[in-house]
Amino acid sequence: MPDGDATRQGRTLRSAAALRQAGLIAPAAEADAARVAERYSISVTPHVAGLMDPSDPADPIVRQYIPDAAELITAPHEIEDPTADAPFTPVKGVVHRYPDRALLKPLLACPVYCRFCFRREVVGPDGGLLTEAELDAALAWFERMPAIREAILTGGDPLMLSPRRLGAILSRLAAVPHIETLRIHSRVPVSEPSRIDAAMLGALRVGKPVFLAVHANHAREFAPAAMDALNRLADAGVPLLGQSVLLRRVNDSAEALEALFRAMLRARVKPYYLHSMDPAPGTARFVVPEAEGLALMRSLRGRISGIALPAYVKETPQGGGKVPVGST
Ligand SMILES: *Cc1c(COP(=O)(O)O)cnc(C)c1O
Ligand code: SF4
């Protein structure tokens, strides 16, 4: 690793200038990165910066988080709300697409901002935190919908809430008789593992199962501190699932996927979903064609244990929900 380690141990990098000062982009790339930052948030935690090798142009960690001028070009097939959440929003912060489960998005901040994010038009550090009144209205919606058996917290990243706030939300949902299970989707265990402390573990203990789906795309994201955080969660009785996105030049080979899913199993994380890229603006450089993804999944069948294999899925346009790739 080049210089910059001292800087990298410090604070989260949130601007093009901060990335340059940390040695994560070349001075010549700063102007483009600053233009991208005007439109899409940047955040690289000290932990993630420490995983990067900026001297390697193919580094799969750099590629996931470091902005690229290509993000300013919207390809013809790309759309602002690729999962079509808006028509399925009965109350601010809720997405209800399936009869038995619904999403709650209490905030839109994340520990890191992924360059391929399908919610990139809305996520960011200063947007989307529901007010107390909005949160109350969203929770009241769950309380009066008896068909809802599972509440799924997403965002943004729910583990960016303080343990006190998160615990209050989970406790209120767990107290609803028809809600049987809770689920949280998060990138925190692999991007800011220090947040998984005793207080956070306490917030997850609400008397009903709280599943945690961890978003990770490369085996190197399972660094020692992330493994420790995942072990703390598993030891606290939190069932762990893995969700990944199939990304060009991050994990688009049988070797990379095998290593990723094996790393998950070592962390007691059951690979759950491998998502095909949603067509969010400025993300064309990450797209892997479905035929190629299907071939990769087939090649994994013989190579790794069945419990290491996720379902390869995509979102259908107009809000049809998730379907297995290859089924339509
Ligand atoms: C993905 C998603 C879910 C969860 O679906 P599972 O298949 O149960 O993981 C729930 N609601 C919405 C709106 C979703 O997009
Ligand atoms: S953590 Fe999730 S919501 Fe946040 S930027 Fe990454 S993909 Fe998007």
Side-chain angles (χ1 to χ4, degrees):
M1 297 264 166
D3 61 325
D5 273 36
T7 328
R8 285 193 215 176
Q9 278 159 21
R11 55 202 166 76
T12 295
L13 309 169
R14 298 190 179 276
S15 67
L19 294 177
R20 182 198 28 87
Q21 282 157 18
L24 295 176
I25 56 174
E30 185 180 335
D32 275 344
R35 285 201 304 138
V36 173
E38 286 170 20
R39 183 136 168 220
Y40 301 114
S41 304
I42 293 175
S43 176
V44 176
T45 57
H47 173 78
V48 167
L51 300 178
M52 290 180 177
D53 180 0
S55 67
D56 175 4
D59 186 80
I61 311 296
V62 168
R63 193 164 159 80
Q64 291 186 68
Y65 302 113
I66 298 297
D68 187 296
E71 292 173 48
L72 297 169
I73 301 159
T74 299
H77 71 285
E78 293 173 345
I79 47 182
E80 278 208 9
D81 181 17
T83 61
D85 282 355
F88 296 90
T89 298
V91 186
K92 187 172 177 189
V94 174
V95 184
H96 183 210
R97 180 175 282 126
Y98 303 102
D100 71 326
R101 56 203 189 277
L103 306 183
L104 172 64
K105 299 190 278 191
L107 82 175
L108 292 170
C110 301
V112 282
Y113 293 102
C114 311
R115 307 327 298 170
F116 49 84
C117 176
F118 66 104
R119 294 207 178 106
R120 60 194 332 233
E121 298 292 332
V122 294
V123 294
D126 46 28
L129 183 68
L130 295 185
T131 64
E132 286 299 332
E134 288 166 342
L135 183 59
D136 184 63
L139 293 169
W141 181 89
F142 279 87
E143 287 166 344
R144 67 170 184 268
M145 293 293 286
I148 299 292
R149 306 285 197 85
E150 183 183 20
I152 304 169
L153 272 62
T154 178
D157 195 316
L159 296 188
M160 293 301 282
L161 294 167
S162 70
R164 188 191 54 77
R165 246 188 116 112
L166 178 66
I169 294 172
L170 293 175
S171 301
R172 183 155 159 201
L173 289 168
V176 178
H178 54 263
I179 294 182
E180 297 172 354
T181 54
L182 305 165
R183 197 199 311 177
I184 296 172
H185 283 255
S186 177
R187 210 147 167 44
V188 162
V190 296
S191 59
E192 200 174 348
S194 59
R195 290 186 77 86
I196 310 297
D197 58 10
M200 193 65 89
L201 295 174
L204 303 179
R205 209 175 297 122
V206 290
K208 282 189 181 166
V210 178
F211 285 69
L212 185 69
V214 183
H215 171 188
N217 305 311
H218 194 275
R220 264 177 43 210
E221 292 178 76
F222 293 81
M227 292 297 282
D228 289 348
L230 291 164
N231 275 324
R232 289 195 289 279
L233 287 160
D235 288 346
V238 177
L240 301 173
L241 302 168
Q243 64 164 352
S244 310
V245 187
L246 182 58
L247 299 167
R248 179 65 86 210
R249 288 177 47 219
V250 173
N251 58 18
D252 59 336
S253 68
E255 293 73 22
L257 290 174
E258 176 179 345
L260 169 63
F261 301 141
R262 286 193 192 282
M264 284 185 177
L265 288 191
R266 286 196 300 274
R268 287 182 274 177
V269 174
K270 158 73 186 114
Y272 174 48
Y273 277 149
L274 176 66
H275 293 271
S276 181
M277 275 280 301
D278 293 313
T283 61
R285 70 192 187 284
F286 291 109
V287 172
V288 178
E290 285 178 14
E292 203 178 319
L294 284 169
L296 283 169
M297 287 302 292
R298 271 195 302 276
S299 74
L300 286 177
R301 262 255 145 232
R303 288 173 80 115
I304 48 173
S305 159
I307 62 169
L309 287 177
Y312 178 38
V313 296
K314 64 174 175 181
E315 296 285 338
T316 54
Q318 286 92 44
K322 279 181 260 306
V323 293
V325 175
S327 69
T328 49

